[in-house]
Amino acid sequence: AACGGGGGGNPVTPAPTYASKLHYVNPAATGWRLEADATTNDTAHLVLNLVGPTGTATKGAAFFLTCDTAKASWASAGGTDTYAKAGGLLSLGNAPQLFKSKLTGSDLQVGIFQKGGTAATLTTAPVVAVALSPAATSLAQGTAISLAPTSAKQAVQVDSTGTSQNITVTVGTLTAQ
């Protein structure tokens, strides 16, 4: 008697699940850092807020970030500036304001400063916001996306006396979801 058997067909490979949103885990640091806007985390338009150390007096800050633009792209944060939105903590005054973002390749530069007046005391409120969106439609869920301060560029803040001081901006972990 002949044995019946299963055919030697090819197994079915499930289609990969592609990412359509971004997930960000805030850094543990308490100094200058990027924190996710909770309402945008795990969405296709992630807003990250620059927050400073609570109680610090400042008249502004400039920082530089690099993102793997093959996996995520810089996007509008919803303000009048192309890639950044003022957080409302600093008094920017009338035009011309000292607030600008600049994108060069994968590197984003943001500067926001008061022209005068009393320095703002930092709270948990954002100084400025930036945003990212997934860049590739074929990016697998769970893929890590490089986001870091730009190498060879120094972030600074201007203290209450108008003196520029070097700062470190701590960045969390970014993944495609």
Side-chain angles (χ1 to χ4, degrees), residues 3-121:
C3 287
N10 293 331
V12 175
T13 304
T17 305
Y18 294 121
S20 61
K21 55 190 176 179
L22 298 174
H23 175 74
Y24 185 81
V25 177
N26 291 337
T30 57
W32 287 92
R33 63 205 178 276
L34 283 182
E35 293 185 347
D37 179 310
T39 63
T40 67
N41 206 1
D42 296 319
T43 69
H45 188 80
L46 173 67
V47 175
L48 299 173
N49 296 318
L50 178 68
V51 178
T54 301
T56 300
T58 190
K59 290 188 172 189
F63 60 101
F64 308 85
L65 299 170
T66 299
C67 182
D68 182 348
T69 52
K71 297 176 182 174
S73 60
W74 295 108
S76 170
T80 57
D81 186 83
T82 305
Y83 296 104
K85 179 180 179 183
L89 187 65
L90 299 173
S91 175
L92 299 180
N94 297 324
Q97 293 181 336
L98 302 176
F99 173 50
K100 182 76 176 151
S101 68
K102 178 182 177 185
L103 183 62
T104 306
S106 60
D107 299 335
L108 179 65
Q109 173 183 349
V110 179
I112 183 168
F113 300 94
Q114 293 183 176
K115 288 190 258 184
T118 304
T121 300

